Amino acid sequence: MLKARFATGIALLAISATGCALAASPRRNVVVPAEPTMIDYVDPATVAGLSVGAVTMGDSPSDLKVHISYPLLPDAPALTHALRRQAQQQLRDFLRRTKGPASYPRPELNVDWQLPAASSDVTGVRLRTGQRLGTSWGNSMRTLWFDPHTGTTVGSTALLKGKPELERLTSMVKDGLRDRGSQIKQDSVRPDDDVLDSMAFNRSGDLVVEFDDCQLGPCSLGRLAVAVPRAQATPLLSDLGRRAQASVLRTAAAPTLSGPPATPRRPPDLVTGRDRGVDCAKTKCVALTFDDGPGPYTGELLDVLRKQDTRATFFVLGANAAAQPQILRRMGAEGHLVESHSWSHRDLSMQGSSMVAGSLRDTSAILSVVTGQTSQLVRPPYGAVSKQLMSIAYRMGLSLVTWDVNARDDNGGDPRDIAGRVVRQAHPGAIILMHDIHRHSVDAVPDIITRLRAKGYTFVTVPELYGAAGMQAGRLYGSGSELPGKRPLT
Ligand code: NI
């Protein structure tokens, strides 16, 4: 997928991030005049039964930062299989690329996704892969299509009838790129599966062909994509392609489903321990925290927590929250605290200020709309903090929360080992890091609760650890047993 070296890619990053936010933003009923190569994505919250899978590395001591997420659709096992296989392949490629003593300091791989189409006729999944090697960040895109009629997952070229149509499309794309200047390497536009690997339709039914950063010329060219007008594209389409186009047109014509946003309010009883009758200065308290979700096992975890009458703090990704608002509402209704873990799990200590602010603002907005609560906390992805991030968090009224007990549950493992690690390290004021996107993590929770309770611990949310002193915006909290803000920046 990643076809060339990367230098800047900032222009594409900004455009793509806006596109992503538009699809799932609480402001999604606002129709923005579209640039023809922009794709309107399906709101994933409208796709019944959708959940999110992920492959991750980096919260435990590791030189690598990896977060690959992909949608899980209940009626498309072949799609899930293809996306999982692709995620594992991307991880392997990344590990190979970054291996060796001369490699880059803490390289990062981040894959997020959107749905260009989702109906009973066809589902499209656009994967956006961001990679940081050294100081450069670059994006590449790939769009896969699932055909429920045949139960198969295919690449973007399957939207076309065959080789002659692919060749005709290639020359149309070349024509479309001509006015972008002489720096474009026309020869790089070939009728290959690997070159034309990200195609979808805009809301007018035009076929949008997009390229990776730096694929067709200098990275300074920014995003390169061509919209082939509907009238010219339609005769080239396969049956699958026509269904995909029709599905997009139907979605574009349908009224948007955005109800009035809930009025944000401060959580009434979660700010200090006193409100719940728990004083963590006198009681042995610990805070269970779950990152990266909600995921496919979060519902089961909520069942466990309810059964054990235990409250937790969930640091959710904005993208996942937008896709699964129901489960966030359940978290709030059952007394858990739902807070931010950024939009898509990029290392915020390495991003420009506008990207950081956008990621935090969009996540707070979706949490506010879904839960009716104002965000107070952010857990920075990978626990990575910078002075810039702290000052942005300060301006946005957010406290930064890391952890002092790491379940180290992101690489598989036996639930008994995970529970053992947590119970051994637990101490009064502990902030315990876990991930509700893994089966083995959720399986470890009943044991953790039983054993810590037997040792006299009370489970509280993170702000309750700090009691009446509360938590201040822009400060870093890594443990309920130390003074805030004293930890060195990571
Ligand atoms: Ni995380």
Side-chain angles (χ1 to χ4, degrees), residues 296-375:
Y297 314 109
T298 305
E300 272 179 65
L301 173 61
L302 290 175
D303 293 343
V304 168
L305 295 174
R306 186 169 55 187
K307 203 166 145 200
Q308 305 250 30
D309 195 20
T310 300
R311 291 179 312 118
T313 306
F314 287 86
F315 290 103
V316 302
L317 294 174
N320 292 7
Q324 304 156 94
Q326 293 298 349
I327 200 147
L328 262 78
R329 288 192 194 104
R330 183 178 164 193
M331 288 172 183
E334 296 184 358
H336 305 294
L337 191 57
V338 185
E339 295 287 353
S340 167
H341 192 34
S342 82
W343 187 265
S344 60
H345 212 282
R346 292 187 180 187
D347 178 351
L348 298 181
S349 73
M350 302 290 283
Q351 299 275 341
S353 60
S354 63
M355 292 298 294
V356 173
S359 176
L360 297 181
R361 190 180 50 239
D362 286 348
T363 306
S364 290
I366 197 83
L367 296 187
S368 164
V369 166
V370 172
T371 67
Q373 297 178 353
T374 305
S375 291

Side-chain angles (χ1 to χ4, degrees), residues 56 59 67 291-293 315 317 341 345 379-383 403 433-435 437:
T56 65
D59 280 340
H67 190 94
D291 283 16
D292 296 1
F315 290 103
L317 294 174
H341 192 34
H345 212 282
R379 170 161 284 160
Y382 310 106
W403 58 86
L433 169 69
M434 298 189 71
H435 299 84
I437 54 168

Side-chain angles (χ1 to χ4, degrees), residues 179 253 305 438:
D179 62 356
L305 295 174
H438 303 305

Side-chain angles (χ1 to χ4, degrees), residues 212-223:
D212 302 342
D213 286 11
C214 324
Q215 186 182 354
L216 301 182
C219 304
S220 55
L221 288 170
R223 180 178 190 252

